[in-house]
Amino acid sequence: MLKSNKKKFFLIALAWIAVGVLITLAFDDMWERTSTNESCMACHFHEKADNAWKQSKHHSSNNKSGVTTDCAACHLPPKGTMAHFSAKARMGMKDLWSYMTKHKDKINWERKGELEYAQKIVYNESCKKCHTNLFPSELNDDGLKAHLYYEENEEKLGLQCISCHLDAGHFNPNYKHGKMEGLAVVDNAIKYDTAATVKEFKNFTETVPGTSVTINMVAVPGGDFTIGSPKSEPYHKNDEAPQKKISVSPFFMAEVEVTWNQYWAFYNETMSEGRTPPLVVYANNSRPDVDAITGPTPPFGFPDQGWGMGNRPAITMTHYAAETFCQWLSMKTGKKYRLPTEAEWEYAARGGTETPYFFEGSPKKYTNEGFFKKIFGVDTTSINGYIIYLNNSDSKTQEPSKVKANPFGLKNMLGNVMEYCADKYNADAYGKWHDGDKNPICQEGDEYVVRGGYYMDDAANLRCAARSHTQNDAWLKTDPQNPKSIWWYSDIKGIGFRVVCEVPEGVNAR
């Protein structure tokens, strides 16, 4: 009897083992099948993405090795790791949710090709597993320098390979990785001989001598306003308080952010050959007896990101470069051009209004935050006409003609690109000001104030009172130069500026 029970137990155990093996094999087969390109594309297929992958260096038809890199090889951590299992499980649940709640035609595929998103779905350890040699024989001198910099600073920088090689997996004809040489192309069909003459306090068009550049300047009347936001304002932040009643003198402000056409005129006339030491540049540009401005060195890559130049806002220049542009413009025109103070910027952005935006509507109405907003979407009917932001930017800057002006006649004060101010950033700046202060400016801090938000911001961050600041070290992370550039940022795309012109002497601004 005992022998019979042992035999029965053995047969049952063997059966369970067999079932376990079959389940494991079936699970393993399912696991492998769901990692194939065909399985990935069942949910993620998009014609442009598929074609771009087939044109990339990761496809056998475009590389010397004859190897095709599959979707899972880049978009999952290496096989055999716990990270691979957890990432795939997490992605599977996310895909299931998207399948039930979203329509593929409504997905912003352009945005998913941007670096900010790509960094979340491409795994550095997978890149390094395939590319064990960072110094192949075909690497040029700039690449060698960049890879050496990466290898020596990887842990400190926290960089990803995708930061510099965004076009490796999905070919992008507009993506540029390399050093721009020589002059930028500008239209020189017309060249102005003289600057505009300002006799009255009204809008005027500046003409920059020796160039074809014009700048539309808007007369902003002086007045009093309340800077900052009350605690009751949705998405209010502590650095927007305490509110203070501030007085601002009249000034002229550019209708739009400085465009590529305008910035390239400055670049072409002042470009530094080679790496001018920063200390020399600072010294020369601050000397009153020097009649020429030292301008930017050539940037690495093409700073317009392949989106186009012309009237799009110029981007990726440093705060110092923006100040130097103002200095050059002042020298060319005989007027005093500069960056706006933070108080001037918010006063101009509000255009005489006291609401979160200069147009009607609450941040709660326009934000993407919230469970039901993610399912049913956001009403963008009104805000789309005034702001270039996350919901309508196509993940890139846009020309100013896309939006309507605020009550003062200024465009893109909110959205499109963040704008430099003259102030240093201090979270407690307003606490040091007093009601009735005239033209205050904060000169204490390590970073500079930036205002207005940019093309990838949610509406909650684009309120007139919303404040932000430069992040100099983070914005220069992937710059391999030593010393790092004082002209161009390597790791921020949504930064630009607009200019202010002080009212010339003799002009009645009352």
Side-chain angles (χ1 to χ4, degrees), residues 68-214:
T68 293
T69 305
D70 295 333
C71 304
C74 292
H75 295 296
L76 286 176
K79 289 183 179 180
T81 64
M82 189 61 191
H84 175 87
F85 180 84
S86 59
K88 184 169 181 179
R90 185 172 63 252
M91 187 176 291
M93 288 187 287
K94 184 179 179 181
D95 289 345
L96 184 60
W97 171 254
S98 296
Y99 179 79
M100 293 187 297
T101 62
K102 296 180 180 179
H103 194 283
K104 282 196 289 188
D105 291 341
K106 295 183 178 180
I107 295 175
N108 188 340
W109 294 99
E110 292 287 341
R111 180 189 169 198
K112 292 183 182 296
E114 287 290 303
L115 180 60
E116 290 86 352
Y117 189 85
Q119 288 173 326
K120 300 175 183 177
I121 57 172
V122 177
Y123 293 84
N124 215 47
E125 53 268 36
S126 295
C127 298
K128 292 166 69 176
K129 184 178 180 180
C130 288
H131 299 279
T132 55
N133 179 17
L134 293 181
F135 304 96
S137 59
E138 63 268 22
L139 196 64
N140 61 29
D141 288 343
D142 284 337
L144 185 69
K145 184 191 299 182
H147 283 196
L148 185 62
Y149 175 73
Y150 167 79
E151 189 174 65
E152 292 176 346
N153 298 277
E154 179 181 1
E155 185 174 341
K156 179 179 71 174
L157 296 173
L159 293 174
Q160 290 180 253
C161 302
I162 195 72
S163 300
C164 293
H165 299 284
L166 186 59
D167 63 337
H170 294 273
F171 177 71
N172 179 354
N174 296 320
Y175 182 78
K176 304 292 183 182
H177 183 60
K179 191 171 183 178
M180 189 181 84
E181 302 289 351
L183 302 179
V185 177
V186 293
D187 179 13
N188 287 317
I190 302 173
K191 280 195 176 182
Y192 296 102
D193 296 322
T194 59
T197 300
V198 178
K199 296 182 179 180
E200 300 177 74
F201 186 67
K202 64 179 184 179
N203 297 357
F204 74 96
T205 298
E206 184 64 273
T207 51
V208 183
T211 76
S212 59
V213 166
T214 61

Side-chain angles (χ1 to χ4, degrees), residues 175-413:
Y175 182 78
K176 304 292 183 182
H177 183 60
K179 191 171 183 178
M180 189 181 84
E181 302 289 351
L183 302 179
V185 177
V186 293
D187 179 13
N188 287 317
I190 302 173
K191 280 195 176 182
Y192 296 102
D193 296 322
T194 59
T197 300
V198 178
K199 296 182 179 180
E200 300 177 74
F201 186 67
K202 64 179 184 179
N203 297 357
F204 74 96
T205 298
E206 184 64 273
T207 51
V208 183
T211 76
S212 59
V213 166
T214 61
I215 305 175
N216 292 331
M217 302 298 297
V218 175
V220 179
D224 299 331
F225 83 109
T226 302
I227 195 169
S229 67
K231 291 184 179 180
S232 59
E233 182 170 301
Y235 304 103
H236 161 90
K237 294 181 180 177
N238 291 335
D239 67 351
E240 301 165 19
Q243 289 184 284
K244 292 294 170 66
K245 191 83 169 180
I246 298 298
S247 178
V248 174
S249 298
F251 58 94
F252 295 99
M253 178 175 265
E255 178 190 16
V256 301
E257 296 139 339
V258 170
T259 68
W260 278 120
N261 281 343
Q262 294 160 359
Y263 197 76
W264 284 141
F266 155 67
Y267 171 86
N268 285 346
E269 195 167 284
T270 64
M271 182 182 72
S272 304
E273 294 184 6
R275 284 282 295 156
T276 306
L279 291 178
V280 174
V281 174
Y282 280 114
N284 287 345
N285 286 358
S286 62
R287 286 173 53 188
D289 59 318
V290 174
D291 59 1
I293 299 294
T294 302
T297 54
F300 276 86
F302 286 70
D304 73 324
Q305 312 302 314
W307 301 337
M309 295 190 179
N311 289 324
R312 286 181 190 264
I315 54 176
T316 76
M317 76 293 293
T318 63
H319 189 275
Y320 175 75
E323 286 186 321
T324 306
F325 175 92
C326 294
Q327 188 178 354
W328 170 81
L329 190 58
S330 298
M331 186 185 73
K332 297 288 288 185
T333 63
K335 305 178 183 70
K336 176 59 178 177
Y337 280 93
R338 56 174 173 79
L339 296 176
T341 66
E342 185 175 13
E344 287 172 334
W345 189 95
E346 185 170 327
Y347 177 77
R350 290 186 176 280
T353 67
E354 297 179 350
T355 48
Y357 308 105
F358 60 79
F359 50 89
E360 186 179 357
S362 166
K364 285 187 175 180
K365 174 183 178 181
Y366 298 129
T367 182
N368 292 319
E369 294 183 16
F371 178 78
F372 290 106
K373 296 282 185 71
K374 294 184 185 300
I375 296 176
F376 300 110
V378 182
D379 180 3
T380 62
T381 306
S382 177
I383 191 173
N384 271 354
Y386 294 99
I387 294 180
I388 299 300
Y389 73 124
L390 178 63
N391 290 11
N392 67 359
S393 68
D394 291 329
S395 304
K396 63 185 74 170
T397 60
Q398 299 293 335
E399 294 191 358
S401 59
K402 295 278 187 180
V403 297
K404 294 179 283 189
N406 78 350
F408 279 160
L410 302 166
K411 293 184 176 182
N412 283 134
M413 290 299 291

Side-chain angles (χ1 to χ4, degrees), residues 44-54 109 169-171:
H44 297 277
F45 177 76
H46 183 251
E47 189 173 355
K48 283 182 66 177
D50 184 48
N51 289 336
W53 167 63
K54 290 175 180 176
W109 294 99
H170 294 273
F171 177 71

